[in-house]
């Protein structure tokens, strides 16, 4: 079991880029797949992307290529960038381990898109 | 995308009662690639079941999963006070991974 903690701005301007980081402790980022998910009242739970340290990466097509997930093995962190955000991207964002099921989760961070 | 439909939307039960939650897929899920999660208010989802019927580490045996194809069930044999929460199913047979809309188990 690993521990995960999301960090990043809670407020993002429309059309800007949402940037979040997940810090992993209790395990190596090279040992698992890593995912980002989000949850909003309107769309429920939504998987965004996953990545493995070898480069295997997959994105939800619903994000229309706006998302980028990256891993940093030197800091044991992984990140999400989501560009051209709108109010529809307002949600609680979670980082998690796994790419089939999601075993361990961060506590989640609320990101609001608003001017 | 595989659409997962959960029923009922809300289940009102008393502690000690049995809960039966349903998850129906829009197309057959091969190899039972389905999981169940519990989410309490203000918390992240917690994995309960994977591969339709295998309990995740540390999950009490009052939780059980079953099903195949398009119809899956999560059963809680005897509800404990901490089991009143929202439950989600999730498929990983294909990409994108998708979740059901959730079933809330509330105290009657």
């Amino acid at each position: 079991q690993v521990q995960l903690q999301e960090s990043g701005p809670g407020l993002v301007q429309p059309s800007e880029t949402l940037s979040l980081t997940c810090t992993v402790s209790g395990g190596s980022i090279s040992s698992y797949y890593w995912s980002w998910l989000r949850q909003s009242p309107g769309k429920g739970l939504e998987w965004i992307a996953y990545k493995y340290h070898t480069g295997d990466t997959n994105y939800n097509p619903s994000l229309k290529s706006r998302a980028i997930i990256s891993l940093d093995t030197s800091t044991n962190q992984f990140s999400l960038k989501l560009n051209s955000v709108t109010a529809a991207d307002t949600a609680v964002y979670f980082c998690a381990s796994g790419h089939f099921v999601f075993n361990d989760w961060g506590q989640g961070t609320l990101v609001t898109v608003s001017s | 995308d595989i659409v997962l439909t959960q029923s009922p939307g809300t289940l009102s039960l008393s502690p000690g009662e049995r809960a039966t939650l349903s998850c129906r897929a829009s197309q057959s899920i091969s190899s039972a690639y389905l999981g169940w999660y519990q989410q309490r208010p203000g918390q992240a989802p917690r994995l309960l079941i994977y591969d339709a019927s295998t309990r995740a580490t540390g999950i009490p045996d009052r939780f059980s999963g079953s099903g195949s194809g398009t119809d899956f069930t999560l059963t809680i044999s005897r509800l404990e006070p901490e089991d009143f929460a929202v439950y989600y199913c999730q498929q990983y047979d294909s990409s994108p991974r998708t979740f059901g809309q959730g079933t809330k188990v509330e105290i009657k």
Side-chain angles (χ1 to χ4, degrees):
Chain A
Q1 188 176 7
V2 295
Q3 292 77 48
L4 302 98
Q5 178 67 59
E6 305 89 350
S7 58
L11 181 65
V12 181
Q13 304 276 339
S15 79
E16 298 290 303
T17 297
L18 178 160
S19 295
L20 295 173
T21 296
C22 183
T23 300
V24 178
S25 57
S28 169
I29 201 164
S30 299
S31 298
Y32 304 96
Y33 275 80
W34 304 98
S35 292
W36 285 98
L37 305 97
R38 67 183 182 180
Q39 186 173 32
S40 60
K43 296 192 73 174
L45 277 164
E46 181 179 29
W47 166 75
I48 299 171
Y50 67 67
K51 192 174 184 72
Y52 193 55
H53 71 95
T54 57
D56 184 22
T57 307
N58 194 10
Y59 294 96
N60 192 325
S62 69
L63 279 300
K64 297 184 173 67
S65 302
R66 296 188 294 125
I68 298 175
I69 184 171
S70 59
L71 271 58
D72 188 339
T73 55
S74 66
T75 61
N76 229 37
Q77 296 176 323
F78 63 105
S79 299
L80 173 71
K81 292 190 186 299
L82 183 66
N83 60 39
S84 304
V85 297
T86 69
D89 295 309
T90 294
V92 175
Y93 285 75
F94 295 98
C95 57
S97 64
H99 70 306
F100 290 130
V101 289
F102 307 106
N103 300 279
D104 301 301
W105 296 62
Q107 66 185 22
T109 187
L110 174 63
V111 179
T112 302
V113 179
S114 175
S115 56
Chain B
D1 297 5
I2 296 178
V3 176
L4 299 177
T5 302
Q6 293 187 241
S7 61
T10 302
L11 201 50
S12 298
L13 295 168
S14 300
E17 289 195 292
R18 182 185 187 89
T20 303
L21 288 67
S22 174
C23 177
R24 178 162 290 177
S26 61
Q27 60 193 75
S28 184
I29 296 176
S30 60
S31 302
Y33 286 150
L34 186 112
W36 289 93
Y37 299 81
Q38 176 194 69
Q39 187 175 32
R40 296 174 177 141
Q43 296 186 14
R46 175 175 71 143
L47 178 66
L48 299 175
I49 301 283
Y50 62 94
D51 293 349
S53 62
T54 303
R55 277 187 299 277
T57 303
I59 301 303
D61 61 7
R62 65 179 180 273
F63 291 92
S64 62
S66 62
S68 62
T70 60
D71 291 299
F72 298 86
T73 300
L74 175 70
T75 301
I76 311 171
S77 59
R78 290 185 322 279
L79 284 164
E80 297 287 341
E82 62 267 28
D83 300 337
F84 291 92
V86 180
Y87 293 83
Y88 296 95
C89 57
Q90 177 238 323
Q91 65 81 23
Y92 46 103
D93 181 52
S94 65
S95 188
R97 312 303 189 224
T98 52
F99 290 82
Q101 83 281 14
T103 290
K104 182 180 182 180
V105 178
E106 65 175 22
I107 300 176
K108 186 174 182 180

